[in-house]
Amino acid sequence: MINIHVIDTDGTARDISFEANKSSSLMEILTKERFDVAAICGGMAGCGTCHIAFESGGEGLDDIEDDEEFMLDSLPNIVTGSRLSCQLRLTKDLDGARIRILGDGV
């Protein structure tokens, strides 16, 4: 099981657990768990509404690809640790992470 601590856009926080599954994304889990993630583009790195920031953890994740970097660069609230949750596969590298949902897509 993968366990992460999620802080929603309104400041509420809760821990969630899920199975590792490289064919699914963190965005899919966040929307299933009813966090404030609009996911307007359906996971194509085209809207930024699934923008999150790692407050801790996530060090072993894959590097940011060009599409994700381009979208993040267009967002007004990018911070250290910013990622698009649609681009993050459900791997053990997420275990123990603490994330904040930022949203604010275009």
Side-chain angles (χ1 to χ4, degrees), residues 33-98:
E33 293 287 332
R34 300 192 184 276
F35 285 100
D36 187 17
V37 175
I40 292 170
C41 74
M44 303 302 293
C47 69
T49 59
C50 68
H51 179 201
I52 64 159
F54 281 89
E55 293 189 343
S56 64
E59 290 83 7
L61 295 170
D62 290 339
D63 291 336
I64 296 174
E65 298 286 330
D66 290 343
D67 290 345
E68 182 180 4
E69 186 171 5
F70 178 77
M71 180 49 60
L72 286 171
D73 285 345
S74 72
L75 298 176
N77 58 344
I78 191 170
V79 297
T80 301
S82 281
R83 293 295 301 260
L84 297 179
S85 63
C86 68
Q87 300 302 297
L88 300 172
R89 300 293 120 208
L90 303 182
T91 66
K92 288 287 186 184
D93 295 316
L94 291 171
D95 192 39
R98 178 182 172 97

